[in-house]
Amino acid sequence: MHHIDHVYINGAFVTPHGEELFELFNPATGQSIGQVRLADELDAKGAIAAAKQAFPEFSRSTKSLRVTHLRHMHAAIQSVEDELTEAIIEEYGAPISRARWMAKHAAGVLEDAAVVLEEYTFSRRIGIAEVVMQPLGVAGLITPWNSNAGFICGKLAAALAAGCTAVIKPSEMSALQTAIVTRALHKAGLPPGVFNIVTGRGETVGVVLSSHPDIAKVSFTGSTAIGKSILGSGAQTLKRVTLELGGKSPVLILEDADLSAAVPMAIQAGFMNSGQACIAGTRILVPEQRLAEVETLMIEELAKVRAGDPRDPDTSVGPMVSLKQWERVQRYIQLGIEEGAHLVVGGPGLPEGIKAGWFVRPTVFSRVTNQMTIAREEIFGPVLSIITYANEEEAISIANDTPYGLQAYILSSDPARARKLASRIDAGRVLINTLAHEPRAPFGGFKQSGIGREYGTFGLEAFLEPKSILS
Ligand code: NAD
């Protein structure tokens, strides 16, 4: 059993003032695996005070010193990759190959930020002005459970590269990953107070971060509903905010697509991270004359998708993170049936042969309309909707008819045509015939998928304020 009873404030591991014990679970078994003692409002305020005290000196540190810090942090996280992979499997249930990728990604974002910082110029001339980019102040960084270690490292890397100091509130459901990351980052030897990590509830620690006058910037990844409440509580002090929120991403299969490649790719886009991905391609848009072919291929391909033990290398869909999340996904599957969608594969309940754990049957509905609840709301599980369209205009109109705009996918054998369509889609990222990630390009959402961008120069500038000096 794990017992995590420290938070990290001002360069030291301290017992939190908060006394609540929060139960941690292995989602693959549904069994308790330990407890984490949660920080409270007082701990959050202590962490903010430490970050505030560290800010004046750190904000004036040289670029090369910060590059060195980021490289030390990168090496520190790299050295715990195996331990982190294990924790991601145990407390989150990510299939092993995904868990390995996630642990590597947590280290990789620190090196990526070091490279961006090396190439960045903090001062430029515009007319008679010298425009300097100044760090914003203390940043509050709030992460979700679906990629906790990656978001801690990614947000922290950008904040520190800019010269901000930080207080991190990781997801309370990811305390094992947080403990490993914190121990590793401590060894990187940064000055005390530059970053502080306080695991606590959103309604206590999270609310303090999003409302405290000494927090200049909040970078949040999580649900759209909480993102809106953070925007509201930050308004009183006009905090700068970056919000990375939900999605309902379209996968446009054009009529010229090679379906034998497009259907497996659509499945991968939909079921990535066991469907618990903000960028999951959950609305598959198919030309109506090719629906029958797509349905047949879906059945064939879904037969190869294994949901089950995350440690089995053949597994591609792991469990849902919590019982609550499992129940939510079940409710949507039921809703899809009640709304009259055609169940191609999957359905309610546990996958065949599985008796315990929060596993879902990978599910695909077809003949879905874009007005059905399963096509409009983010399900955050392995449940996909096939929607038909009559022509290209209708395809674009359905793709954009959503409150979200995080990512979109276009699958076609005509790259020029796909590129033209990409320009008409309202989403922060459009992937043409690929599922690749580009860590130097901006990432973030249009509409209710968020505000602002992360990664690369755009992500760095989200922690900076321009100042014009005229002489
Ligand atoms: P969530 O919004 O419930 O929680 C996210 C974080 O916010 C947690 O640390 C939580 O404790 C904290 N929080 C909760 N209430 C708060 C409050 N009132 N004030 C401040 N903080 C508060 O989200 P989740 O369930 O952890 O994650 C799933 C959601 O995250 C999905 O909607 C998904 O789409 C989204 N997500 C978005 C991205 C992206 O980059 N756009 C990436 C991953 C996940």
Side-chain angles (χ1 to χ4, degrees):
M1 292 296 259
H2 301 275
H3 293 283
I4 297 165
D5 53 7
H6 286 92
V7 289
Y8 187 73
I9 298 177
N10 208 22
F13 291 90
V14 295
T15 304
H17 174 268
E19 291 181 341
E20 180 184 352
L21 296 179
F22 182 85
E23 205 73 18
L24 301 168
F25 292 93
N26 178 341
T29 61
Q31 301 295 310
S32 167
I33 52 169
Q35 290 178 325
V36 53
R37 179 166 167 173
L38 295 183
D40 65 7
E41 287 91 341
L42 220 71
D43 298 305
K45 287 176 186 163
I48 294 170
K52 185 182 178 185
Q53 204 184 356
F55 178 72
E57 193 175 332
F58 191 72
S59 62
R60 289 195 296 269
S61 60
T62 61
K63 191 168 106 166
S64 71
L65 177 65
R66 298 207 296 276
V67 168
T68 305
H69 283 323
L70 288 168
R71 296 237 150 93
H72 286 160
M73 292 161 79
H74 167 70
I77 298 293
Q78 236 180 0
S79 74
V80 294
E81 252 174 46
D82 289 347
E83 208 188 335
L84 198 50
T85 303
E86 185 53 37
I88 292 170
I89 298 172
E90 188 180 3
E91 78 179 348
Y92 175 59
I96 186 154
S97 58
R98 176 80 191 179
R100 268 207 203 101
W101 181 88
M102 288 169 122
K104 262 195 197 328
H105 173 75
V109 285
L110 288 153
E111 173 57 24
D112 292 341
V115 172
V116 169
L117 178 57
E118 267 175 334
E119 290 168 2
Y120 190 72
T121 312
F122 282 79
S123 163
R124 67 196 90 158
R125 198 147 265 289
I126 301 182
I128 61 160
E130 183 197 0
V131 179
V132 291
M133 301 299 282
Q134 187 169 313
L136 277 166
V138 178
L141 313 176
I142 304 176
T143 72
W145 43 257
N146 72 335
S147 184
N148 179 60
F151 284 119
I152 291 178
C153 294
K155 288 179 190 297
L156 187 58
L160 300 193
C164 291
T165 56
V167 177
I168 303 162
K169 192 215 87 65
S171 169
E172 55 275 40
M173 291 159 71
S174 314
L176 297 191
Q177 291 168 62
T178 299
I180 293 163
V181 167
T182 311
R183 278 198 305 273
L185 292 180
H186 174 67
K187 289 193 184 136
L190 271 72
V194 165
F195 68 90
N196 306 270
I197 304 184
V198 279
T199 299
R201 285 192 182 272
E203 50 283 28
T204 54
V205 176
V207 167
V208 172
L209 290 188
S210 61
S211 56
H212 198 288
D214 290 338
I215 293 281
K217 158 94 192 180
V218 175
S219 175
F220 166 82
T221 297
S223 60
T224 295
I226 302 292
K228 287 177 184 174
S229 90
I230 286 175
L231 195 58
S233 41
Q236 278 312 312
T237 44
L238 285 186
K239 289 193 198 320
R240 277 53 181 157
V241 290
T242 299
L243 303 175
E244 298 289 1
L245 311 176
K248 195 73 197 176
S249 300
V251 181
L252 249 84
I253 300 183
L254 302 190
E255 90 267 357
D256 61 35
D258 167 9
L259 291 183
S260 66
V263 169
M265 196 177 262
I267 291 172
Q268 247 188 301
F271 290 165
M272 70 170 79
N273 209 6
S274 308
Q276 300 174 124
C278 51
I279 52 173
T282 47
R283 293 183 298 140
I284 303 171
L285 277 43
V286 171
E288 54 195 22
Q289 68 275 19
R290 302 201 72 181
L291 176 64
E293 276 173 272
V294 169
E295 286 181 348
T296 307
L297 273 169
M298 276 286 172
I299 294 167
E300 273 173 40
E301 290 298 323
L302 262 292
K304 301 178 200 158
V305 172
R306 173 90 57 91
D309 180 5
R311 289 177 200 281
D312 180 342
D314 289 336
T315 295
S316 51
V317 178
M320 302 296 94
V321 72
S322 63
L323 179 60
K324 188 173 154 210
Q325 189 66 18
W326 185 85
E327 287 170 347
R328 174 189 161 93
V329 177
Q330 295 297 323
R331 198 175 67 242
Y332 278 111
I333 294 175
Q334 202 52 49
L335 250 171
I337 295 168
E338 284 163 21
E339 282 182 314
H342 169 66
L343 192 56
V344 181
V345 189
L350 292 169
E352 219 180 276
I354 291 182
K355 305 226 157 15
W358 300 318
F359 293 94
V360 167
R361 297 170 69 190
T363 296
V364 177
F365 285 105
S366 77
R367 302 170 219 176
V368 175
T369 72
N370 201 43
Q371 301 315 315
M372 287 182 188
T373 314
I374 54 167
R376 300 213 75 76
E377 296 183 9
E378 186 181 49
I379 299 173
F380 229 55
V383 182
L384 311 182
S385 296
I386 299 174
I387 303 169
T388 55
Y389 64 84
N391 52 48
E392 213 170 270
E393 279 313 304
E394 196 188 16
I396 293 287
S397 138
I398 296 172
N400 287 335
D401 177 14
T402 165
Y404 296 108
L406 191 57
Q407 185 142 300
Y409 305 79
I410 303 180
L411 308 179
S412 165
S413 53
D414 181 347
R417 181 179 173 209
R419 178 64 192 77
K420 231 160 105 190
L421 287 187
S423 68
R424 298 182 57 197
I425 291 186
D426 302 331
R429 268 194 187 189
V430 184
L431 273 56
I432 300 173
N433 295 330
T434 182
L435 300 179
H437 172 56
E438 173 48 73
R440 286 162 302 182
F443 174 78
F446 280 40
K447 302 190 274 184
Q448 294 186 38
S449 283
I451 294 179
R453 295 292 180 270
E454 292 191 292
Y455 293 123
T457 310
F458 288 84
L460 175 66
E461 289 191 335
F463 288 91
L464 295 165
E465 192 91 83
K467 178 160 79 184
S468 301
I469 302 173
L470 285 79
S471 57

